Amino acid sequence: MIHFVLLISRQGKVRLTKWYSTYSQKERTKVIRELSGVILTRGPKLCNFVEWRGLKVVYKRYASLYFCMCIDPDGNELEILEIIHHYVEVLDRYFGSVIELTSLIICRKAYYILDEILISGELQEPGKRTIVRAVAAQDSLVETVKEQTGSISTIIAQASK
Amino acid sequence: MGSQGGFYQSKEFLDLVKSIGEARSKAEEDRIVLHEIDTLKRRISEPDIPKRKMKEYIIRLVYIEMLGHDASFGYIHAVKMTHDDSLLVKRTGYLAVTLFLNEDHDLIILIVNTIQKDLKSDNYLVVCAALNAVCKLINEETIPAVLPQVVELLAHPKEAVRKKAIMALHRFYQKSPSSVSHLISNFRKRLCDNDPGVMGATLCPLFDLITLDVNSYKDLVNSFVSILKQVAERRLSKAYDYHQMPAPFIQIKLLKILALLGSGDKQASENMYTVLGDIFRKCDSSSNIGNAVFYECICCVSSIYPNPRLLDSAADVISRFLKSDSHNLKYMGIDALGRLIKISPEIAEQHQLAVIDCLEDPDDTLKRKTFELLYKMTKSTNVDVIVDRMIDYMISINDNHYKTEIASRCVELAEQFAPSNQWFIQTMNKVFEHAGDLVNIKVAHNLMRLIAEGFGEDDDNADSKLRSSAVESYLRILGEPNLPSVFLQVICWVLGEYGTADGMFSASDITGKLCDVAEAYSSDETVKAYAVTALMKTYAFEIAAGRKVDMLPECQSLMEELLASHSTDLQQRAYELQAVIGLDAHAVEGIMPSDASCEDIEVDKGLSFLNGYIQEAIEKGAQPYISENERSGVLNMGNFRNQDHHEPSHGLRFEAYELPKPVVQSRIPQALLPSTEIVPVPEPMYPRETYQTPVPSNSSSAGSAELKLRLDGVQKKWGRPTYTPETSTSSSTSQKTVNGAAQVEGATTLNSTRETYASRKPQVEISHEKQKLAASLFGGSSKLEKRPATGHKVSKASSHVVEKSHVPKSSKEVASEKTAPAQPPPDLLDLGEPTDTSTVPSLDPFRQLEGLLDTTQVASAANGATAASRSPDVTALYADTPPVGIHNMGDADLLSGLSNPSVTNMPGATAKPQLTQSSGKGPNPKDSLEKDALVRQMDMCGQRDCHINMIQPYGIGGGLKIQERAETLVLCSI
């Protein structure tokens, strides 16, 4: 099981966090500080895994962003590495380019996509197309709903006047 | 995809993100965020905020929270958003609450109702959003509220919903297995879902269920195997392909499940062999995901009932991993190796150098993984080297978590495999010295008990020697500053109990030291208490022995200080000491008998000796005693206990109206807390383990209790006296003395060449060190294996001397023969062709090497000459390996013949290297010899009773052995 997902910039700034196990706010801050200290200082050729507090953290760098996932000690690190890559590919496919990722990652789309990939710390959907389709469906529906509510609320507003 | 336009992020928010992105320091960032929090606090509570604005505020709160600040003031607004009718707003609300709230948050109760409603929605996107929230937020108490709806959704027409419903049920199962126990059949049903995504999701809960109860799911083996087969044969739609691999994530999950189901079950495992073999064949080894599947296959193969062919495939993959340049693969290789050596210990042999490389690697992660592997293959023959390495590493790191872990492993290994008592105490001293505060206090108590009880031998003499050596080492260690508290406690106790026992140190020596301790660590009351009691014991023993006690002035001042101490415990101890000193010898002996720490003290728990007194009191009208249980039974509600119960709770307690049982439960973890955070030392194992040791120590107790001799005892046990140098090289202190005798010879041999090859030394040095380490690390089973074949005691005794001479050489990095290897060591190892190995098994290579080693001098000389002509082509050597056959015929005679002359030949041999050095490029005989020594020592083979395995394990080492033989033949011809 994946305990949490972290996205940290090269400067140590947090871009996205998702916690599947229970961590208090204080613990979260501590975890982020500790891990960014460990991961950001690691050399480029070392392995993408770090053993940390009895758990394992798998990380991978894309452009200036570090994607980190924390897993149980008996997990398959290479698999997690691919789940990270899977996520990045979906993000890439959805947003068009990873270069923009740093600025876009903070938006909630990244969370929605992550929610389609992982659920309660397990890989939910291995098919890229399915994920993109699901997120697109949400988008289109959201758009139509928005229009409707927009028009309804104006009608109501007019009626109530 | 262009939906970025729909984010509605105001300029304000973008500015915030930008300014935080540009913040130069953490302080600056904090300032910006605090300002933002102020703004949001003000704005968010304004009335009539448009939904769109509110949504943005919530996203800003998420951002703030993500940066590690407290945004709890806005949680309630996020909760409110989930109630909204608009999906857009609702989804943002759900997102925010899943990010803000943990499952134990009070506000969750306010969301449950909304979730219930949304789960019934006919818009599947709403249902999906609600299910996402269910997975994160629903806790044990609220499961019943949503469970029926979630179960209904298992049959939802949309696969996305079914998938999430499965995952939600899985989550429920994790949180409270009992709540969904009646629904487990649903998981089986969903395994046959039409949609591979849903089937894949079902594997997650099934994995958990099977982990807990394998037997109920044995019937599914065939289903899993057939699913895996279909997946591997690409029967799934292309959409599930990932980097040209067919649904690798599903494959991995299935392999994990099969590993569980096949564990220890021959019949089930047999069903899996074919499909596993297929995967090994078909899997793509060039991609990362392919390797992930390979790794999982290895895990599976090593878990199920072993199959030789699959194990071979697994070993091949492991060797590919280990030889890879990628650290990731090396890491996985080490991990996989650790799994496989449990079943086929011999495969580790071929990878020993790769393992050493990983141990020396600058990458900490890899290093730790390698330590884990070493930990798994530790046994009594290599424990000293491995534990020494571990301790060295432990000293070098700062990470307390890992330090604790590695310290506990050292302790565990030391307790289990200690070759001698002295070694054990020295090791424990080191562990305590460097990680004392991190080690479980139980370990300290175990150590004290060990010293007190001895090693379970009848021989009191050995025990007292052990104690005096402990006392001696502690007195020395006390000179060092800043010792950990736990360690000081042990020291004080031992000094008090045994400080004057052997008469080597006078009472004033010991008491002086104890006073120093109490003074130096005056802030640590526990240590002080131990010190005072130790003082009391020392004086008591003195008095009991009829000697006059003179209290040292510093001791007197310490007493004065403690008599007025704020700590009642210290005060009492001080008064007791004062009282004991005033008594006569007989009384003191009664109070403080010497060396009686192990004697049982009978405790009259019922305090029956007070019965008369009680009777008297009751007769006078006193109330009879009511036991605590009865009292608390009467006053169940009102007393302090209740308050106590409420302490750990926070916020709303759902069980408030239930019986107090859950509350009691919540207390239990607290009570257990100290024992969970302590180092996991298998306590009950301890006494048993210590009793195992007598075998080696008995043999040495006849002689002396010196460490060196003890090691001899170990060697005798395995019949390999030759190993003293290797096994002790890592303990830097003893190295020199052990090797000292033999060093002269080796040095003279090599002095001449030292200058010539000085320039190459650095290179040589590295491989040298490494080999030395490998030799000592893996020293062991090979010795064992040799035992049955020890036919030439005489020759061995002589070879012993000469072999020693190699080690100092290597340790001094003077080995002249060590011309820079034409190829790096791993490549050399490659030479071990499978065909070579097959010729080897007919004789015991170790035994042969035994005789060979002492001929190295000559052999190397000879080989140098021959090598000159053949030079860099190392493989050429193997081309002329037919001689192996000759060896086979008469190795006993040949060997004994060889070993003896070679000793006498030594002077001659020493002259020769000079001749050969100039030509010494090419295949390096000495190098390979040393490697061979290492191979011989390397006993990743594991169990000591694996004599059967000894024939084959030289897939790689075998090649070297053959080279050796070739050299010997050359020698013979000379």
Side-chain angles (χ1 to χ4, degrees), chain B residues 552-759:
Chain B
L552 296 173
E554 64 252 43
C555 187
Q556 256 153 2
S557 62
L558 177 72
M559 280 312 117
E560 273 160 31
E561 181 203 324
L562 292 184
L563 285 172
S565 169
H566 287 295
S567 157
T568 46
D569 177 53
L570 286 179
Q571 223 181 58
Q572 179 174 354
R573 282 171 202 259
Y575 274 110
E576 277 171 9
L577 170 60
Q578 220 176 26
V580 166
I581 285 178
L583 292 171
D584 66 72
H586 182 70
V588 168
E589 202 163 4
I591 302 167
M592 279 281 165
S594 167
D595 191 16
S597 59
C598 307
E599 270 151 42
D600 291 331
I601 297 170
E602 272 182 40
V603 178
D604 183 0
K605 277 188 186 157
L607 305 180
S608 54
F609 58 91
L610 288 174
N611 280 350
Y613 176 78
I614 293 167
Q615 205 59 41
E616 203 176 304
I618 289 176
E619 273 164 20
K620 279 181 188 161
Q623 288 251 322
Y625 175 74
I626 304 167
S627 76
E628 201 185 349
N629 288 343
E630 288 169 56
R631 265 180 294 157
S632 55
V634 175
L635 305 167
N636 197 10
M637 288 332 231
N639 63 11
F640 68 100
R641 272 175 164 260
N642 243 347
Q643 293 170 342
D644 222 30
H645 287 190
H646 283 293
E647 221 168 40
S649 80
H650 29 69
L652 288 175
R653 301 291 302 188
F654 287 88
E655 73 274 32
Y657 300 109
E658 294 167 6
L659 288 168
K661 200 178 112 212
V663 181
V664 175
Q665 271 174 349
S666 74
R667 276 171 62 87
I668 292 167
Q670 275 200 328
L672 286 176
L673 211 65
S675 67
T676 49
E677 65 187 8
I678 47 176
V679 191
V681 180
E683 241 242 304
M685 242 164 75
Y686 181 74
R688 188 158 44 85
E689 297 308 335
T690 50
Y691 288 115
Q692 280 183 357
T693 45
V695 187
S697 38
N698 259 342
S699 57
S700 63
S701 61
S704 138
E706 287 299 307
L707 172 67
K708 209 169 103 193
L709 285 179
R710 289 267 174 180
L711 277 173
D712 276 343
V714 177
Q715 287 155 3
K716 253 178 245 157
K717 191 177 168 192
W718 311 126
R720 299 303 318 148
T722 41
Y723 283 96
T724 314
E726 280 94 342
T727 44
S728 57
T729 36
S730 73
S731 66
S732 52
T733 46
S734 60
Q735 181 184 347
K736 273 220 159 158
T737 47
V738 177
N739 296 336
Q743 209 153 314
V744 190
E745 261 181 339
T748 51
T749 320
L750 304 162
N751 273 342
S752 52
T753 54
R754 195 186 281 171
E755 301 85 0
T756 331
Y757 292 92
S759 57

Side-chain angles (χ1 to χ4, degrees), chain A residues 20 48 82 125 138 142, chain B residues 88 91 163 171 288 328:
Chain A
Y20 295 105
N48 293 71
E82 287 311 294
E125 180 53 63
Q138 290 168 6
V142 163
Chain B
L88 184 70
R91 224 160 53 116
K163 200 166 57 190
R171 193 69 166 172
N288 192 31
N328 286 348

Side-chain angles (χ1 to χ4, degrees), chain A residues 43-59:
Chain A
K45 284 207 168 153
L46 307 182
C47 51
N48 293 71
F49 324 126
V50 175
E51 282 176 29
W52 171 82
R53 292 209 222 159
L55 300 171
K56 285 196 281 208
V57 178
V58 178
Y59 70 92

Side-chain angles (χ1 to χ4, degrees), chain A residues 11-26:
Chain A
Q11 293 80 31
K13 300 217 190 298
V14 191
R15 297 295 183 188
L16 180 145
T17 56
K18 181 95 188 173
W19 308 85
Y20 295 105
S21 297
T22 308
Y23 289 87
S24 71
Q25 182 70 31
K26 216 183 234 169

Side-chain angles (χ1 to χ4, degrees), chain A residues 81-157:
Chain A
L81 213 50
E82 287 311 294
I83 292 179
I84 292 176
H85 191 66
H86 181 50
Y87 180 39
V88 173
E89 279 184 341
V90 176
L91 284 176
D92 193 32
R93 197 180 261 221
Y94 185 82
F95 288 120
S97 164
V98 201
I99 313 292
E100 293 171 46
L101 216 96
T102 27
S103 59
L104 287 172
I105 208 75
I106 48 152
C107 78
R108 54 194 187 284
K109 291 285 169 190
Y111 282 107
Y112 291 143
I113 294 173
L114 189 59
D115 277 344
E116 290 304 314
I117 295 177
L118 296 174
I119 195 161
S120 56
E122 302 279 0
L123 182 72
Q124 168 192 202
E125 180 53 63
K128 248 176 293 205
R129 227 173 294 163
T130 328
I131 297 165
V132 174
R133 225 185 294 135
V135 179
Q138 290 168 6
D139 285 345
S140 63
L141 205 112
V142 163
E143 301 284 327
T144 53
V145 167
K146 202 164 55 205
E147 276 162 29
Q148 281 169 7
T149 51
S151 55
I152 291 169
S153 59
T154 44
I155 292 166
I156 294 170

